[in-house]
Amino acid sequence: MAENTLTIRDNRTGKEVEFPIQSGTEGPPVVDIEKFYKEFGLFTLDPGFRSTASCKSRITFIDGEAGVLLYRGYPIEQLAEFSHFPEVCYLLLNGELPNEEQYTRFVNTVTNHTMLHEQILNFYKGYRRDAHPMAIMVGVVGALSAFYHDSLDVHDLRHREVSAFRLISKIPTIAAASYKYSIGQPFIYPDNERSYVENFLYMLFSVPSAKFKMSPVLVRAMEQILILHADHEQNASTSTVRLAGSSQANPFAAASAGIGALWGPAHGGANEAVLDMLAEIRSVDRVPEYIMRAKNPQDPFRLMGFGHRVYKNYDPRARILKKAAHEVLAELGRGNDPIFKLALELEKIAQEDDYFVKRKLYPNVDFYSGIIQSAIGIPNNMFTVIFAVARMVGWVSQWKEMIEAGEGIGRPRQLYVGAPSREYLFMSERK
Ligand code: SDX
């Protein structure tokens, strides 16, 4: 038996095959089963991918048991405290923190691509005013490929770089425009004198008739929200972007697919669902009733913002956002905000309840992010849009890594449990 291998035996035939075990820098090793079907004529079945690594990656590491999150090796706590979102974008895209000259060049390039082609703004007028902003984002981001024909060749490094800049630079402008459209206010063009995050808030909240001002505490809270949501290993939307991009679809189409996947309440849509849930619970004395409902397998109600496929410990991002929520509410003189108090009480009760403790269900990134965004003045239906603005750099970084790995189209197989082969029935023969 060779070292660092896994021997698998098919007891039906007695055939034994050794499969190589590969270790990474951190985290569980993997067994490489690429030749599994060839050797045994069997597929492996893992519907939720609970035991499946889909790729090798250098970008983000998560230790779910320990509640650790690293971007290119740097702890999320340090990036959230000391870094800025454009610097995190550079780090995720390039693998290292930029020096002064690299950072200045990167920020200038991102800043000078924030405007949209004027025709793109016409897309918005085709939507109803009450369209969910995520529906607009899916459409407009996918349509970018109709405007930028000069950066669609996924095999051309320069095209990949230009598309990456366009997506990262323009996603705040697209997101802000979807909000302005939904409230009947005029679009606000980007102001390149402002930082990435301040510019985003400016495009969201300024109006032509008044000067824009926002407390630096709120700007910093939004910056932390973007940093904390920027990437997260092979989550559902990132895996969607990788799979869509593996067909050599252009990066705008792949990003649009990611936005669609993120929208779901089990994923990025959870932050909006948390605020809806807190509004429904309304008061602390109703918390026990909802905890009971969350524990009842017959009741579809789930404690939104709780639990995670990977984190079986407190989501490190939730810890940072909980602190930021305190700071934002204090800055706004709303230290006793009833919704925040309700969230704190809900977390406390759940953390003492055996059902949640046994299942290692802790608050995740979505539990507090909506409270902060709501306090800043962002409506619930924009929370997942903000998540998409942040995650765009993660999607683009993972998409680039997938293309450069050159492993071809992703094409899983299945266990077929449908009807066996049978003859066509003419209408007269059918029951
Ligand atoms: C994000 O993947 C990522 O990295 C995602 C993300 C990212 O940055 O990209 O981190 C962002 O999507 C965070 C997750 C946001 N979603 C929610 O907050 C929705 C509520 N959470 C659940 O839907 C659930 O916890 C999931 C979807 C997040 C994870 O589900 P899993 O891993 O499939 O867990 P599971 O359903 O197998 O749960 C195990 C048990 C089950 O009970 P039993 O069958 O063992 O009795 O825990 C229960 C579940 O019923 N459970 C919950 C619960 N989450 C799991 N019970 C009540 N409330 C919950 N929230």
Side-chain angles (χ1 to χ4, degrees), residues 182-408:
S182 73
I183 56 173
Q185 286 188 1
F187 298 138
I188 299 294
Y189 287 97
D191 170 1
N192 291 350
E193 295 306 305
R194 296 175 189 273
S195 73
Y196 187 96
V197 176
E198 204 195 5
N199 201 10
F200 180 36
L201 292 166
Y202 166 71
M203 292 188 283
L204 280 170
F205 295 122
S206 84
V207 287
S209 52
K211 272 193 87 43
F212 172 74
K213 242 178 79 52
M214 183 164 266
S215 143
V217 171
L218 304 192
V219 176
R220 184 62 193 159
M222 176 54 84
E223 182 128 52
Q224 286 194 318
I225 284 175
L226 296 186
I227 290 172
L228 295 168
H229 286 80
D231 194 53
H232 210 241
E233 203 214 59
Q234 304 311 319
N235 58 84
S237 54
T238 297
S239 299
T240 301
V241 171
R242 278 181 170 262
L243 197 57
S246 75
S247 74
Q248 299 175 31
N250 70 71
F252 306 108
S256 175
I259 293 171
L262 185 73
W263 196 357
H267 185 17
N271 46 23
E272 178 176 356
V274 166
L275 266 287
D276 295 343
M277 172 187 74
L278 292 173
E280 183 186 336
I281 297 174
R282 250 195 345 273
S283 68
V284 169
D285 57 2
R286 283 157 52 93
V287 166
E289 172 203 339
Y290 280 85
I291 293 274
M292 285 308 291
R293 286 190 55 194
K295 291 158 55 172
N296 174 0
Q298 265 57 43
D299 189 328
F301 176 78
R302 284 279 170 279
L303 221 44
M304 300 315 281
F306 262 77
H308 197 278
R309 173 60 60 77
V310 176
Y311 287 124
K312 301 308 169 193
N313 200 323
Y314 210 103
D315 183 331
R317 302 169 295 176
R319 207 187 298 284
I320 297 165
L321 288 173
K322 184 176 176 180
K323 179 168 169 288
H326 270 295
E327 289 159 4
V328 164
L329 293 168
E331 171 74 5
L332 297 168
R334 289 168 46 184
N336 288 321
D337 181 277
I339 291 288
F340 186 48
K341 288 265 171 248
L342 180 57
L344 292 172
E345 186 61 21
L346 189 57
E347 176 193 342
K348 183 170 158 297
I349 295 175
Q351 299 291 281
E352 289 156 5
D353 185 294
D354 186 49
Y355 172 94
F356 293 90
V357 173
K358 214 169 79 219
R359 290 168 179 78
K360 301 183 178 177
L361 301 175
Y362 293 86
N364 59 50
V365 67
D366 293 303
F367 191 60
Y368 288 106
S369 72
I371 292 171
I372 298 172
Q373 294 180 69
S374 181
I376 292 176
I378 292 164
N380 292 11
N381 69 359
M382 279 292 290
F383 294 168
T384 311
V385 171
I386 308 282
F387 196 147
V389 169
R391 188 54 55 90
M392 186 56 75
V393 64
W395 290 332
V396 167
S397 303
Q398 299 268 354
W399 166 78
K400 275 180 71 206
E401 185 177 68
M402 177 276 300
I403 295 283
E404 285 150 18
E407 284 161 356

